Amino acid sequence: MRTESITERLDAVVAILEKHRQGHLTNGLDSVGTTEVESFIEQVESIDFDEIETLTSSDGSAGGIPEDLEPAPVIPRHPKGEASFRSAGEALIRQGEIAAFTVAGGQGTRLGWNGPKGTFPATPITGKPLFRVFAEQLNAIDERYGIETPWYLMTSPLNDAATRAFFRDNNHFGRNPESMLLFPQGVMPAVDDHGRILLEAPGVIAVSPDGHGGSLRALARSGALEHATSRGVKHLSYFQVDNPTVHAIDPLFIGLHATHPTSSGEMSSKMVPKVAAGEKVGVFCSIGGRTQVIEYSDLPTEQAGATTEDGSLRFIAGSIAIHVLAVDFIKRITSAGSETAMPFHHARKKVPFWDPKSGETVTPADPNGTKFEMFVFDALEFVEKGLVYETDRVEEFAPIKNAEGGDSAESSGRLQTERAARWMEAAGSEIARNDDGTVHGQIEVTSETALTGTDLVGQSCPDFAPGSDLVF
Ligand code: UTP
């Protein structure tokens, strides 16, 4: 219990701010109440000012591309020994060694949805929210393997309460709340072009979530890693909240990660072949024999466009943010004193700020500040042998990022329908298609019916009437 008075704490905080040339943060503080002052003090106390100074004294650039950059080796979609790797993965699932881990702490600014992204209606016909899509997959996995899959779900301080309320209001979509652990990620202050931390309102520092890479330290800080260990969980199946077609728990991928000779079992990743040189996805590369992701903006045009003898892109392995990470690996790279701290990337953004002159909060028209984010794939740098496995874009990459256009609910819905149609066709159904090859109508297959196309084989699928909506 604290013994200092609020005045003493405030004095200490002011001294810290002065020392780090952030004294302006007390502007307007005399106009707010005691509760607000207390929360301001807590905000300041939680900031690592040395870290901020280090970050603002660099431009955040990646520091050039190394000369020994090579494409990362990729395990093909149907690898040799596929059945035995799948069985190995299934054994781990059955033994309760695998948990699901969803990162849902982002702000979803591009989508512009009023609420956590996971509450967004994602399926093309019934509009199931993203959280429900994953919950139903996990329910089906549990049923199949006779287990109760732990589900770790990272929120942020900005959407934690709303996310919890959503799950509560929906009876956790049939999940046992005891098997779910929600925890907020860390935040970082935003700074202006002079390295001065921005105020959102008097006594309120402008902060934003510290990136999906912040998920690793949030797992450690929240006690989730200990929780996992105490339950015998050894690996986390990591996916992002905005991809409704992800296979939340994929036995083959897990088996490859844990037992393939080219994997150290620390962190493995899925890739899809890039469709064009300029596609805006990170690319799996190998640097000094280690797998790494190079952001599309950092990959020089010459390398991005380079082709192999058969004309395909040399750097073709696009990152789709699906990984499996070992719990022990996350513990190692997040332990106190660890020298494996992940870097922060700098993102120029429009950050609403409070202007002491006008006393108003200003929403800028152009980027006015920098936010700091960690990226989860940067953890690959600390992996001895990072395995990259190829998957199919239609099969498991239909992200919802934007309100319209590419990577929107509409494009994702089309991909979900296309996947369902392919599953049905492989199981012997007739699917009406338009002249351009797209499905004439919409289809939704629930996780209860099938988790993959293989599950439909041998089942009698309902008829699909051209132009109709089919849910089964
Ligand atoms: P994005 O990079 O697409 O960001 O996140 P976003 O916040 O969802 O959307 P924009 O950029 O503001 O429009 C990819 C995934 O990483 C999670 C998101 O929730 C999403 O699942 N994420 C991102 C976090 O969990 N925390 C973060 O700090 C950032």
Side-chain angles (χ1 to χ4, degrees):
M1 212 171 119
R2 289 189 170 275
T3 49
E4 313 103 296
S5 71
I6 190 163
T7 319
E8 284 167 333
R9 285 175 69 200
L10 186 57
D11 286 347
V13 151
V14 169
I16 294 172
L17 294 176
E18 296 296 341
K19 177 174 163 221
H20 293 280
R21 294 186 301 279
Q22 302 286 359
H24 63 282
L25 291 175
T26 55
N27 284 344
L29 201 60
D30 48 5
S31 67
V32 304
T34 317
T35 318
E36 287 80 6
V37 171
E38 258 186 301
S39 81
F40 173 73
I41 292 171
E42 272 157 28
Q43 260 199 315
V44 174
E45 287 173 342
S46 70
I47 294 173
D48 181 342
F49 287 94
D50 291 330
E51 184 174 58
I52 300 293
E53 267 171 23
T54 311
L55 288 172
T56 50
S57 60
S58 91
D59 63 1
S61 65
I65 294 295
E67 280 187 3
D68 58 347
L69 187 76
E70 293 284 334
V74 172
I75 304 283
R77 181 137 191 249
H78 298 291
K80 222 169 122 215
E82 177 174 350
S84 61
F85 287 117
R86 183 174 289 108
S87 305
E90 285 180 330
L92 295 173
I93 297 168
R94 217 170 270 118
Q95 283 154 221
E97 294 191 22
I98 310 299
F101 177 33
T102 311
V103 290
Q107 291 177 292
T109 18
R110 285 170 288 169
L111 187 61
W113 172 246
N114 185 17
K117 222 188 211 182
T119 66
F120 184 81
T123 62
I125 303 169
T126 60
K128 284 181 192 170
L130 286 153
F131 284 138
R132 176 168 172 191
V133 171
F134 308 131
E136 289 185 354
Q137 272 201 51
L138 296 179
N139 291 344
I141 289 277
D142 287 1
E143 179 76 26
R144 178 167 304 182
Y145 295 100
I147 52 166
E148 189 175 75
T149 306
W151 188 8
Y152 298 101
L153 217 159
M154 184 178 80
T155 61
S156 84
L158 291 76
N159 69 14
D160 186 74
T163 304
R164 284 174 198 273
F166 186 70
F167 274 97
R168 241 186 350 259
D169 293 348
N170 288 285
N171 207 12
H172 298 84
F173 301 106
R175 308 286 311 146
N176 175 2
E178 300 277 305
S179 69
M180 295 180 64
L181 196 72
L182 276 74
F183 56 91
Q185 67 179 110
V187 291
M188 287 291 281
V191 299
D192 69 11
D193 292 339
H194 308 285
R196 286 154 47 102
I197 294 174
L198 289 159
L199 271 182
E200 183 182 301
V204 183
I205 292 171
V207 293
S208 58
D210 59 3
H212 42 70
S215 62
L216 303 186
R217 60 183 190 180
L219 277 166
R221 280 181 194 159
S222 65
L225 294 180
E226 287 315 321
H227 180 273
T229 302
S230 71
R231 295 186 170 220
V233 170
K234 304 254 170 50
H235 304 278
L236 305 185
S237 180
Y238 168 105
F239 54 91
Q240 304 192 330
V241 75
D242 48 21
N243 181 12
T245 53
V246 68
H247 293 222
I249 304 278
D250 177 349
L252 173 56
F253 182 41
I254 290 163
L256 289 166
H257 159 81
T259 65
H260 195 276
T262 63
S263 166
S264 54
E266 295 170 294
M267 177 170 179
S268 301
S269 314
K270 281 189 178 172
M271 70 74 119
V272 294
K274 277 176 65 173
V275 284
E279 188 182 354
K280 292 183 173 174
V281 287
V283 176
F284 289 101
C285 300
S286 175
I287 301 170
R290 286 190 181 236
T291 301
Q292 280 190 42
V293 171
I294 303 285
E295 272 282 76
Y296 65 87
S297 47
D298 293 332
L299 190 68
T301 325
E302 198 186 303
Q303 266 128 331
T307 51
T308 60
E309 273 173 10
D310 68 4
S312 54
L313 290 173
R314 185 160 178 260
F315 290 93
I316 196 165
S319 170
I320 51 170
I322 304 174
H323 307 277
V324 179
L325 295 115
V327 171
D328 281 348
F329 168 68
I330 306 171
K331 279 189 184 167
R332 174 165 71 78
I333 69 167
T334 54
S335 61
S338 165
E339 287 179 12
T340 48
M342 285 164 49
F344 275 99
H345 297 255
H346 297 214
R348 291 271 304 152
K349 295 267 166 96
K350 294 179 214 167
V351 186
F353 67 96
W354 180 70
D355 178 9
K357 287 193 204 106
S358 65
E360 302 284 328
T361 296
V362 182
T363 304
D366 297 307
N368 62 319
T370 301
K371 291 183 177 182
F372 302 107
E373 290 194 356
M374 285 184 275
F375 296 160
V376 75
F377 53 70
D378 281 331
L380 281 168
E381 191 185 329
F382 312 114
V383 172
E384 201 188 319
K385 290 193 278 178
L387 176 141
V388 182
Y389 167 60
E390 175 171 351
T391 184
D392 179 76
R393 196 178 281 264
V394 172
E395 189 60 33
E396 55 178 326
F397 189 50
I400 300 174
K401 303 268 183 202
N402 302 312
E404 51 193 35
D407 292 346
S408 63
E410 204 193 328
S411 66
S412 175
R414 274 198 304 273
L415 280 163
Q416 293 173 59
T417 288
E418 176 60 29
R419 179 174 82 165
R422 289 188 189 182
W423 288 3
M424 289 176 70
E425 283 167 339
S429 297
E430 286 278 325
I431 299 295
R433 288 184 177 272
N434 301 310
D435 290 345
D436 63 0
T438 54
V439 175
H440 185 37
Q442 302 190 97
I443 315 173
E444 237 181 84
V445 179
T446 67
S447 292
E448 205 181 348
T449 305
L451 283 165
T452 66
T454 317
D455 297 337
L456 282 189
V457 178
Q459 284 195 43
S460 59
C461 300
D463 288 337
F464 174 55
S468 67
D469 283 347
L470 172 65
V471 183
F472 73 107

